[in-house]
Amino acid sequence: MIICFPHQPSSGGPGSFQTRFEKMLKEHGCHIVYREDKLKPDIIMIVGGTRHLFWLLKMKFLGVPIIYRLDGIGWLHKKKSVSLKYYITAEIQNLLLKLIHGFIADRIIYQSTFVENWWNSKGFIKRKNTTVIYNGATQDFFESYNSKTPQKK
């Protein structure tokens, strides 16, 4: 199976997830490519976001399923003092995320139920074909940790 990502993994949260995810996919026999390889993949996987909307629309038109793995919507620019350029850039990035989420992706993977609820309240539409995949940590870890940790009252 050929799985395409719009770009190489970056540093930071989404990039580290993409790096681990690509490694796991390769271990399961998948071939990883990127947009610049100009191949028609079996699936496109977007992690975080991309500005390549026209490429995504072309791939969607060609029948390639698009899976979008999302974290939260940008919000820091609304809570602290930032330059006008930074504010506009952040709003454009949010618009791109919302367009891909609402209209382009065939399936959505959220990084947590908190993020899913956030997108359901702040995105353009509430999506149906969704899954929650936590950042490489199973809920069992958190449940066992919470059961062993004294809770403050």
Side-chain angles (χ1 to χ4, degrees), residues 36-55:
E36 62 268 13
D37 294 327
K38 298 186 183 337
L39 296 172
K40 182 182 176 197
D42 297 310
I43 293 175
I44 293 173
M45 180 75 190
I46 305 166
V47 177
T50 184
R51 66 185 86 167
H52 303 293
L53 287 184
F54 292 112
W55 172 75

Side-chain angles (χ1 to χ4, degrees), residues 6-20:
H7 47 76
Q8 301 269 344
S10 61
S11 61
S16 64
F17 173 85
Q18 183 176 333
T19 299
R20 290 189 314 270

Side-chain angles (χ1 to χ4, degrees), residues 27-82:
E27 288 170 358
H28 285 84
C30 296
H31 181 62
I32 305 299
V33 298
Y34 303 97
R35 180 187 58 84
E36 62 268 13
D37 294 327
K38 298 186 183 337
L39 296 172
K40 182 182 176 197
D42 297 310
I43 293 175
I44 293 173
M45 180 75 190
I46 305 166
V47 177
T50 184
R51 66 185 86 167
H52 303 293
L53 287 184
F54 292 112
W55 172 75
L56 286 176
L57 290 170
K58 176 184 172 186
M59 291 295 113
K60 188 170 183 75
F61 178 75
L62 292 173
V64 178
I66 299 172
I67 301 172
Y68 194 12
R69 198 274 185 164
L70 276 169
D71 55 2
I73 300 169
W75 58 274
L76 281 175
H77 65 286
K78 293 183 178 185
K79 297 294 180 186
K80 63 183 193 176
S81 180
V82 296

Side-chain angles (χ1 to χ4, degrees), residues 67-107:
I67 301 172
Y68 194 12
R69 198 274 185 164
L70 276 169
D71 55 2
I73 300 169
W75 58 274
L76 281 175
H77 65 286
K78 293 183 178 185
K79 297 294 180 186
K80 63 183 193 176
S81 180
V82 296
S83 69
L84 181 60
K85 179 181 177 184
Y86 183 90
Y87 188 91
I88 291 170
T89 301
E91 285 297 306
I92 290 170
Q93 288 172 339
N94 281 342
L95 178 62
L96 289 172
L97 296 175
K98 288 179 180 184
L99 289 172
I100 297 167
H101 170 267
F103 307 108
I104 297 175
D106 296 299
R107 184 152 186 95

